[in-house]
Amino acid sequence: MAVFLSLSSVMIITLALTMMALPSTTAFTIHSQITQMMIPTHSISRTIRPRSLPTSPTTIKMSSWDDFGYDDDDELLDSPVDADFVAADENDDQSVKAAAGASLVAPEVDWEGEAIEVPQGSQLALDAETVQGVLAACRQEIGTMFGYQAENRGVGITGGVDFVDLDGPTVVLHLKGRFWHQRPTVLSRVGSYLQARIPEIVDVVVEDEWELTDEANEQAA
């Protein structure tokens, strides 16, 4: 019966016979090396590093706009000018403002003379007729403060200025309607315009000091 030996078996038998012929110390060394060679690779211990666990995503909750509401705190538009009036936005085109302002009546002007348009520094004489003419030019030149133009009325400005009297070198005026600027500022601008062209004017005042209050502006139509 034929005997078949594997190559590894032949090597082991050959080494065993060799060890028998060698001194004990040398034989032990070779035996240790053979033993290490015969250890299966899967039995060698390995350092296993733990895998990092995936981080769960963080959910950020944004503010809810469900309860958002329009808050109109513009005091200028809370006016009794017209219950059906819808004001344009100040950033709207001029044509849009004019269309909105067309529904409001412009402030009345009780003087029908020509406007006296002269440059600042002019030396006009002080009299009622001249004051009226320069005031008419003032309404045009600083017109953004008043409601004489439809574009201005379109954003709720209905204010106007009238000549009342000439008390010596003092000009007496009347403010009416609603202004965006504070009324003392409006009076100051008009007074500076008149005095820059009629130097004899000493002061420009209103008929009633109440006209300069915020209450007067809020109650104006």
Side-chain angles (χ1 to χ4, degrees), residues 10-20 22 30 34 37:
V10 174
M11 291 177 62
I12 294 173
I13 294 173
T14 302
L15 291 172
L17 293 175
T18 303
M19 290 172 59
M20 292 175 63
L22 294 174
I30 294 175
I34 294 173
M37 293 174 58

Side-chain angles (χ1 to χ4, degrees), residues 2-166:
V3 178
F4 298 94
L5 297 176
S6 64
L7 178 60
S8 60
S9 299
V10 174
M11 291 177 62
I12 294 173
I13 294 173
T14 302
L15 291 172
L17 293 175
T18 303
M19 290 172 59
M20 292 175 63
L22 294 174
S24 60
T25 304
T26 305
F28 176 76
T29 301
I30 294 175
H31 178 269
S32 299
Q33 295 176 352
I34 294 173
T35 303
Q36 292 177 1
M37 293 174 58
M38 295 177 64
I39 297 175
T41 56
H42 62 77
S43 64
I44 299 175
S45 62
R46 295 182 299 174
T47 301
I48 301 176
R49 296 180 180 178
R51 296 173 60 187
S52 59
L53 297 176
T55 304
S56 57
T58 302
T59 302
I60 302 176
K61 296 183 177 181
M62 305 301 289
S63 299
S64 172
W65 290 80
D66 295 339
D67 58 349
F68 177 77
Y70 176 70
D71 182 16
D72 183 5
D73 58 354
D74 190 339
E75 295 181 356
L76 178 64
L77 300 182
D78 294 336
S79 64
V81 291
D82 192 329
D84 299 326
F85 172 67
V86 179
D89 186 83
E90 60 180 323
N91 298 316
D92 285 340
D93 186 78
Q94 291 294 90
S95 61
V96 176
K97 295 178 182 178
S103 62
L104 299 179
V105 179
E108 293 184 5
V109 178
D110 58 0
W111 188 72
E112 299 179 354
E114 295 290 333
I116 301 176
E117 299 178 358
V118 294
Q120 182 176 348
S122 298
Q123 303 287 323
L124 298 178
L126 176 59
D127 57 66
E129 191 76 10
T130 302
V131 172
Q132 287 272 37
V134 175
L135 183 60
C138 176
R139 294 188 186 101
Q140 299 173 9
E141 189 162 333
I142 60 173
T144 55
M145 303 189 80
F146 306 110
Y148 298 107
Q149 301 174 7
E151 293 86 348
N152 297 341
R153 296 196 302 278
V155 293
I157 301 174
T158 61
V161 58
D162 292 330
F163 173 76
V164 176
D165 194 13
L166 186 60

